[in-house]
Amino acid sequence: MKTAMELALARIELMKDINPDSVRWQMFKENYIQQEKEQIINAYWASYKEGQYSGDKTAEEYYNETFNQEPKKEYGPSEKYLTKQKELMEDFIWNKMNENK
């Protein structure tokens, strides 16, 4: 999951006049992402102190588990499917090669 700030910064990078590889832009992004991270962690602690959250994670663990993860792969082809596709392709190629004989 990406935070709102990460999504906004990624969208800005698509603009023509932004060089996403520049050091200045990278520093700008990191500054705002760090500020947002601190806000999220502070909100987590505020809810914990008020008794609204009784979990066993630290604020840092909560942030990292929620926002610092790669998108999960929803699904992928099974090994059986890939094997069958390979066999079909080999048969197709074999048949095409033997048509001309």
Side-chain angles (χ1 to χ4, degrees), residues 22-84:
S22 74
V23 173
R24 189 173 182 187
W25 174 249
Q26 294 301 319
M27 290 173 59
F28 176 84
K29 280 184 8 179
E30 289 302 316
N31 178 44
Y32 281 99
I33 290 172
Q34 184 60 35
Q35 285 181 29
E36 183 181 44
K37 177 180 178 179
E38 290 170 11
Q39 291 170 348
I40 291 169
I41 289 172
N42 290 340
Y44 174 93
W45 277 117
S47 69
Y48 184 81
K49 289 176 186 174
E50 293 173 6
Q52 296 173 358
Y53 180 79
S54 59
D56 57 353
K57 297 176 187 165
T58 67
E60 186 80 18
E61 288 170 338
Y62 166 78
Y63 177 85
N64 289 332
E65 288 178 14
T66 305
F67 298 107
N68 284 346
Q69 56 185 321
E70 293 297 318
K72 293 180 182 175
K73 187 175 181 180
E74 294 292 327
Y75 61 89
S78 68
E79 195 63 37
K80 184 178 177 181
Y81 174 82
L82 293 173
T83 301
K84 185 65 177 170

Side-chain angles (χ1 to χ4, degrees), residues 79-95:
E79 195 63 37
K80 184 178 177 181
Y81 174 82
L82 293 173
T83 301
K84 185 65 177 170
Q85 291 301 311
K86 182 180 176 188
E87 290 171 4
L88 291 170
M89 184 58 74
E90 288 171 350
D91 288 346
F92 176 78
I93 293 170
W94 178 260
N95 290 335

